[in-house]
Amino acid sequence: MPNWSSRRAFLASGLALPVAASANQTRLAGPPPESMVYGTLGKTGLKVSRLGFGGNVASDPSVLAAAFDAGINFFDTARIYNNGNSERMLGAVFAGKRKDVVLATKTTAKTKDQALLDLDASLKAFGTDYIDIWHLHGRNAPADVADGLFEAQRTAKQQGKIRFAGVSMHFTMKDMIPYLMKLGQTDIILCAYNFSMPPDMEMENTIAAARQAGIGIVAMKTMAGGFARIQLGDRLYTDNPKALTDKLKHPGAMVSAMKWAFRNKNVDNAIVGITDRDQLGENVAAVAQPFTDGDRQLLAAQMDFIRPLYCRMCGACAGACPRGLPVADMLRILSYADGYGQFSMARDRFLELPEPVRQVRCSDCADCAVHCPNGVRVPDRLRKAQAWLS
Ligand code: SF4
Ligand code: SF4
């Protein structure tokens, strides 16, 4: 079981902390670091802040630096984020502080050779000679983790290019996590985990079993689509003020969502995409706060709001579209645009879908064959994705 400690206890233990905490460093404006808590990531021995920084939406280097000053020492990105610029930005911000941060990145490669090429490109972009955690990116089924990919991770470890091997996934964690545990190749699992997930997804038990086996658990998608994050003036909503008003009804829901994830002691770290200092302050504050009845009520209201919009990633509709649409993937991509307000990232991900998938139009179907047991209005949402992103 993780042993969470405050910054003060961490300092007393003599373990490394972000160097910005030291007296000879200049702090950038940001939330104070005192509220950060730290623990050990599975059995890796890596000492990490419980809040991690998700690099997928970050574009302001000063926010990364402020996060570091606030005590965050875990930074996650991927080779494909922002065409490699996310890795490049992290490398630039933390040049000279390499040992004070834990860097995680990911590859979408399908073969060993391609994965190792990706890894070299990542090392170059970061400007480092090792990566702490190297994930196989978005592997939701056993077929997504060919033997050669684990071999690439073993080779990279032997060469000293990575310290730990990870796998990230968005769906079907109930099946995928036990599969990875059985194979015994994986040090860290990065998985979707949030308050919207129905009990039959068995996330609590699945995560607990993996953590018990010594695998480090990093949660993502904790904001369940981030639909309360749409800000006044967001260009996507300027033509729809009612939708904007509705979305702003639950301003505290995102903090409650973080607290919900942190209430689970088997979650070693939760990464959150942070774009500005207000979000940074909210998230840092949430780390040490208890999950309360008030949070529960807020999330219940948020749940009602997002029910038709947000895919819970349960995997129940896999293969249900006769025209071959990867429904859950497409819904996730749409939420980057209309939940998190990251249009260009959504479009980049959409354009990575196979050409035949991008050509399908849900408006051509008289009836939709996909029936979501969780209430997502699948054809409406996919029509929107196709209109906005194709
Ligand atoms: S659309 Fe519905 S059924 Fe399909 S993965 Fe999402 S929540 Fe599950
Ligand atoms: S409307 Fe439904 S069945 Fe038709 S293409 Fe879209 S998801 Fe598939």
Side-chain angles (χ1 to χ4, degrees):
M1 192 62 74
N3 181 18
W4 300 109
S5 59
S6 67
R7 186 180 187 89
R8 181 176 303 199
F10 223 69
L11 286 166
S13 76
L15 297 166
L17 269 180
V19 290
S22 64
N24 61 354
Q25 296 286 323
T26 305
R27 283 195 75 241
L28 296 173
E34 288 71 24
S35 51
M36 188 54 66
V37 290
Y38 299 84
T40 306
L41 189 50
K43 60 181 181 189
T44 63
L46 290 173
K47 308 296 180 188
V48 295
S49 53
R50 204 163 185 215
L51 176 64
F53 194 110
N56 56 343
V57 295
S59 60
D60 182 346
S62 77
V63 175
L64 283 172
F68 181 75
D69 283 354
I72 294 176
N73 73 345
F74 185 96
F75 294 84
D76 174 276
T77 185
R79 184 86 278 269
I80 61 168
Y81 292 164
N82 207 3
N83 299 316
N85 285 322
S86 176
E87 290 175 337
R88 211 165 285 127
M89 181 171 68
L90 279 163
V93 170
F94 298 121
K97 297 174 182 168
R98 178 66 189 89
K99 288 196 167 55
D100 300 303
V101 290
V102 172
L103 294 178
T105 193
K106 320 182 189 76
T107 174
T108 55
K110 296 197 170 16
T111 65
K112 176 184 176 184
D113 289 348
Q114 187 56 51
L116 291 173
L117 284 174
D118 257 10
L119 176 59
D120 286 341
S122 292
L123 290 167
K124 192 171 170 201
F126 278 122
T128 184
D129 54 6
Y130 72 96
I131 284 161
D132 296 289
I133 302 167
W134 189 40
H135 289 289
L136 305 177
H137 193 165
R139 315 292 167 150
N140 303 308
D144 298 339
V145 283
D147 283 350
L149 295 171
F150 290 123
E151 210 181 306
Q153 289 183 313
R154 285 195 298 273
T155 302
K157 270 188 187 175
Q158 284 157 10
Q159 294 174 341
K161 292 181 178 178
I162 68 167
R163 297 179 68 192
F164 299 102
V167 176
S168 77
M169 66 200 73
H170 297 110
F171 316 114
T172 50
M173 279 73 75
K174 183 169 69 172
D175 302 323
M176 197 57 189
I177 291 177
Y179 177 75
L180 293 173
M181 287 167 63
K182 206 163 125 194
L183 293 182
Q185 304 283 323
T186 303
D187 305 306
I188 315 283
I189 284 172
L190 169 59
C191 61
Y193 177 65
N194 62 55
F195 65 91
S196 79
M197 293 174 161
D200 61 4
M201 282 181 72
E202 295 178 23
M203 286 302 291
E204 312 294 326
N205 292 343
T206 306
I207 285 175
R211 188 61 184 72
Q212 192 82 34
I215 294 177
I217 302 294
V218 181
M220 62 174 166
K221 314 290 180 216
T222 50
M223 303 295 182
F227 287 97
R229 279 204 181 280
I230 299 295
Q231 300 294 309
L232 194 63
D234 187 310
R235 70 187 177 84
L236 294 175
Y237 284 94
T238 48
D239 61 347
N240 196 344
K242 184 175 182 315
L244 172 64
T245 306
D246 289 345
K247 284 169 195 300
L248 290 175
K249 274 183 186 164
H250 309 298
M254 294 302 97
V255 173
S256 297
M258 279 299 297
K259 288 160 72 176
W260 185 91
F262 286 137
R263 97 210 183 291
N264 185 341
K265 301 300 177 210
N266 291 309
V267 171
D268 290 313
N269 177 282
I271 55 170
V272 181
I274 296 172
T275 56
D276 59 42
R277 284 161 203 247
D278 288 345
Q279 288 177 11
L280 176 64
E282 276 177 16
N283 289 317
V284 169
V287 178
Q289 290 174 7
F291 183 72
T292 64
D293 280 348
D295 293 313
R296 208 179 302 282
Q297 285 167 18
L298 205 51
L299 292 184
Q302 178 71 2
M303 194 62 219
D304 283 346
F305 169 57
I306 67 173
R307 186 165 286 111
L309 306 174
Y310 182 65
C311 168
R312 256 65 99 214
M313 306 179 179
C314 73
C317 64
C321 170
R323 301 181 71 188
L325 293 190
V327 170
D329 264 332
M330 293 178 69
L331 294 171
R332 174 174 54 86
I333 290 168
L334 176 61
S335 75
Y336 292 151
D338 70 354
Y340 294 106
Q342 298 291 326
F343 182 84
S344 66
M345 182 173 84
R347 183 156 156 77
D348 285 349
R349 295 292 85 81
F350 190 90
L351 294 179
E352 287 164 7
L353 294 170
E355 173 73 19
V357 164
R358 283 186 277 132
Q359 295 303 324
V360 172
R361 291 292 174 270
C362 290
S363 50
D364 293 340
C365 289
D367 288 305
C368 180
V370 182
H371 302 287
C372 172
N374 295 310
V376 179
R377 289 193 200 127
V378 170
D380 290 352
R381 296 290 290 157
L382 294 188
R383 274 196 290 271
K384 186 176 190 181
Q386 290 153 359
W388 280 16
L389 305 173
S390 65

